[in-house]
Amino acid sequence: MAKITFLGAGSTVFAKNVLGDCMLIPDIDFEFALFDIDPERLKDSENMLTNLKKTTGSSVQIRAYSDRKEALRGAKYVINAIQVGGYDPCTITDFEVPKKYGLRQTIADTLGIGGLFRSLRTIPVVLDFAKDMQEVCPDALFLNYTNPMATITGAMIRYGGIQTVGLCHSVQVCADHLLKSLNMDTSNLQWKIAGINHMAWLLEITQDGKDLYPEIKRRAREKQKEKHDDMVRFELMERFGYYVTESSEHNAEYHPYFIKSRYPELIEKFNIPLDEYIRRCINQIDRWNDMRDEVVHNHNLTHERTHEYGSHIIEAIETNHPFKIGGNVLNTGRLISNLPEKAVVEVPCLVDRSGISPTYVGDLPEQLAALNRTNINTQLLTIEAAVTGDRDKVYQAALLDPHTASELSIDDIVKLCDDLIEAHGHWLPQFHSKIGTRGRIG
């Protein structure tokens, strides 16, 4: 019986998706080991999965743990879906403190000043997971769903010594989403995607052997004449030649071109939803309060397998039936040859009983690699900052962030970092006993 440990199991809806998918894998027995620091949310997920077990007829064993190390002991797969600091206070802090400097954000969970500080809070926690795993399940596969994807996955591989793959939602839905938005047929597609998480590129898309890009670009230009939700991505495709996997609200803050206090008209022009993640969090909290009983206490709860990669990876390893994913892995051996080896890249991977085998991509078109490198610069320095506790690395990561650097001066970026370290308080203890060359002790 393969043991699957779910860290952050209080994310009840996501646990339903990923572990519910695993219940639908035929002819394999699993133990689900659930762990969360919130005992009430943990109990909710245990109840939900128990109900789902009955309706699916699954033979899975379900157990909630109050001891993380015991939850991990003997695990073959570890699923990570934590959020350190939550919406209140940490996400609010990541938005509100930068606003005092005139720096606005949309999502703030991957790059930008918000993504940087989310990494600084999260990396030490996942490296603690790695220490436990080295002791009680050193050969387990760590399936990371937590953002910032590239920094957490990179830290786990390089400093945690744990075999890790980062899993996102954007790769598998990219081509269908694009074509549906342009009223194009989605049957018989073949596509290739590679780059970095949230900034991977649809390098090829064909239908019955025909290149669809000329028609995609023609329709996209027409659609840009009216407001819609994908204007940033269509603009990037127009200027750089390729469609990017992650949403426009995300990509608006990964580049220096779209959110600019000097040009407020760009917000309207590209339909950019500032503070979008704050609204989503509030809506999600309200929606959960409305639906909680229906999910947690519903004895007739049902589930259909989702597009999440997690269960397909586990099934491929357990059955040796190969499956292809878009996975986030270290760029070892230069899978993408014009990106750094220390970077985490998102590339096609083959999964079977031997594990996860990334495929070689070669060079990206140079303009795409250049855009990726602007984000990788900050990612690599953020990992260094989190691992070393070096406050200067925090400043340097922020100074190289494309959006932050396009809006603020050097001195203001340093002051902003100091203010965020102070505001986050005990969430960033590694930086409060140290001072950078241009900063102050928090």
Side-chain angles (χ1 to χ4, degrees):
M1 180 176 291
K3 182 175 180 179
I4 302 173
T5 298
F6 198 112
L7 302 175
S11 302
T12 304
V13 173
F14 192 65
K16 178 181 184 291
N17 287 344
V18 177
L19 296 181
D21 287 353
C22 292
M23 286 186 187
L24 300 179
I25 299 174
D27 303 323
I28 301 176
D29 293 328
F30 293 109
E31 176 190 347
F32 292 167
L34 313 178
F35 177 79
D36 198 280
I37 60 173
D38 185 330
E40 182 179 349
R41 295 294 299 268
L42 180 62
K43 186 64 177 177
D44 281 351
S45 291
E46 184 183 15
N47 289 341
M48 176 273 297
L49 289 167
T50 300
N51 289 331
L52 202 57
K53 173 183 175 179
K54 295 175 183 176
T55 59
T56 60
S58 173
S59 60
V60 66
Q61 295 182 12
I62 302 165
R63 182 178 175 186
Y65 288 80
S66 58
D67 184 307
R68 186 179 75 202
K69 189 178 290 187
E70 290 308 309
L72 288 167
R73 189 176 301 277
K76 189 172 183 180
Y77 307 97
V78 177
I79 297 168
N80 180 46
I82 66 168
Q83 183 181 351
V84 178
Y87 165 68
D88 186 6
C90 287
T91 294
I92 293 172
T93 299
D94 286 340
F95 275 85
E96 294 304 316
V97 174
K99 278 184 188 178
K100 297 175 183 178
Y101 289 80
L103 186 64
R104 303 296 302 274
Q105 300 169 96
T106 52
I107 305 295
D109 77 342
T110 298
L111 205 71
I113 201 71
L116 193 167
F117 274 81
R118 184 181 283 224
S119 289
L120 297 179
R121 296 192 301 273
T122 308
I123 288 173
V125 175
V126 297
L127 291 181
D128 276 346
F129 295 169
K131 290 177 183 177
D132 284 352
M133 291 177 67
Q134 290 287 5
E135 181 179 341
V136 300
C137 57
D139 298 323
L141 175 62
F142 191 80
L143 282 67
N144 180 52
Y145 277 101
T146 295
N147 282 329
M149 179 63 63
T151 55
I152 293 168
T153 301
M156 281 297 286
I157 297 170
R158 292 172 55 203
Y159 294 98
I162 296 295
Q163 57 174 333
T164 302
V165 62
L167 303 174
C168 190
H169 324 277
S170 56
V171 171
Q172 59 266 50
V173 302
C174 174
D176 274 8
H177 170 84
L178 171 60
L179 295 189
K180 286 177 181 177
S181 75
L182 297 173
N183 297 315
M184 294 175 68
D185 180 22
T186 60
S187 62
N188 301 321
L189 294 180
Q190 183 67 37
W191 42 264
K192 179 181 179 181
I193 288 174
I196 62 173
N197 180 241
H198 283 194
M199 199 191 285
W201 307 98
L202 184 62
L203 298 173
E204 301 170 6
I205 181 167
T206 61
Q207 188 172 55
D208 297 321
K210 179 184 177 182
D211 181 9
L212 293 184
Y213 253 129
E215 180 63 13
I216 287 170
K217 291 177 180 178
R218 186 191 71 78
R219 294 193 185 206
R221 292 185 191 106
E222 285 299 311
K223 192 167 183 178
Q224 287 291 73
K225 295 176 182 178
E226 298 180 357
K227 289 285 188 297
H228 61 90
D229 292 334
D230 219 9
M231 300 192 77
V232 168
R233 283 203 281 184
F234 282 9
E235 179 71 5
L236 290 169
M237 179 168 63
E238 178 69 19
R239 302 299 179 178
F240 293 96
Y242 296 84
Y243 189 67
V244 67
T245 50
E246 190 48 73
S247 64
S248 282
E249 58 266 26
H250 273 285
N251 269 276
E253 62 185 10
Y254 302 160
H255 301 273
Y257 314 118
F258 300 106
I259 306 173
K260 302 182 77 65
S261 57
R262 284 186 60 199
Y263 303 99
E265 66 274 13
L266 293 176
I267 304 303
E268 173 69 18
K269 178 180 178 180
F270 291 109
N271 201 25
I272 296 170
L274 296 174
D275 297 331
E276 173 66 12
Y277 191 69
I278 294 290
R279 287 190 294 274
R280 287 185 191 178
C281 288
I282 295 170
N283 290 338
Q284 187 177 39
I285 292 167
D286 291 342
R287 191 163 59 250
W288 173 247
N289 289 335
D290 291 339
M291 67 185 289
R292 178 176 175 271
D293 283 345
E294 180 63 22
V295 173
V296 174
H297 301 299
N298 181 2
H299 295 289
N300 299 310
L301 188 66
T302 60
H303 182 73
E304 294 182 2
R305 203 162 180 180
T306 73
H307 61 245
E308 298 292 350
Y309 280 140
S311 71
H312 295 285
I313 291 171
I314 292 169
E315 182 175 13
I317 293 173
E318 293 295 313
T319 65
N320 203 33
H321 294 154
F323 189 81
K324 188 177 81 169
I325 66 168
N328 289 272
V329 296
L330 205 62
N331 195 30
T332 305
R334 302 271 184 161
L335 300 167
I336 298 180
S337 45
N338 50 353
L339 295 182
E341 278 201 296
K342 289 181 180 179
V344 167
V345 293
E346 196 163 61
V347 296
C349 302
L350 181 68
V351 188
D352 58 18
R353 186 158 288 155
S354 63
I356 295 173
S357 302
T359 63
Y360 176 78
V361 174
D363 275 1
L364 294 179
E366 195 55 46
Q367 73 276 17
L368 306 184
L371 289 172
N372 284 165
R373 287 191 291 261
T374 66
N375 283 225
I376 290 168
N377 294 334
T378 292
Q379 291 166 357
L380 295 181
L381 280 162
T382 299
I383 293 172
E384 283 194 37
V387 169
T388 64
D390 185 339
R391 201 156 168 151
D392 280 332
K393 297 298 182 187
V394 178
Y395 304 150
Q396 291 159 6
L399 289 166
L400 289 170
D401 175 69
H403 173 44
T404 305
S406 74
E407 286 283 81
L408 304 183
S409 70
I410 289 178
D411 285 345
D412 277 348
I413 291 172
V414 170
K415 291 175 184 175
L416 171 57
C417 290
D418 286 335
D419 286 352
L420 280 165
I421 290 170
E422 184 173 352
H424 280 301
H426 72 276
W427 297 102
L428 296 173
Q430 68 270 42
F431 299 107
H432 282 271
S433 62
K434 300 178 182 181
I435 186 166
T437 56
R438 290 294 307 276
R440 62 179 185 272
I441 295 176

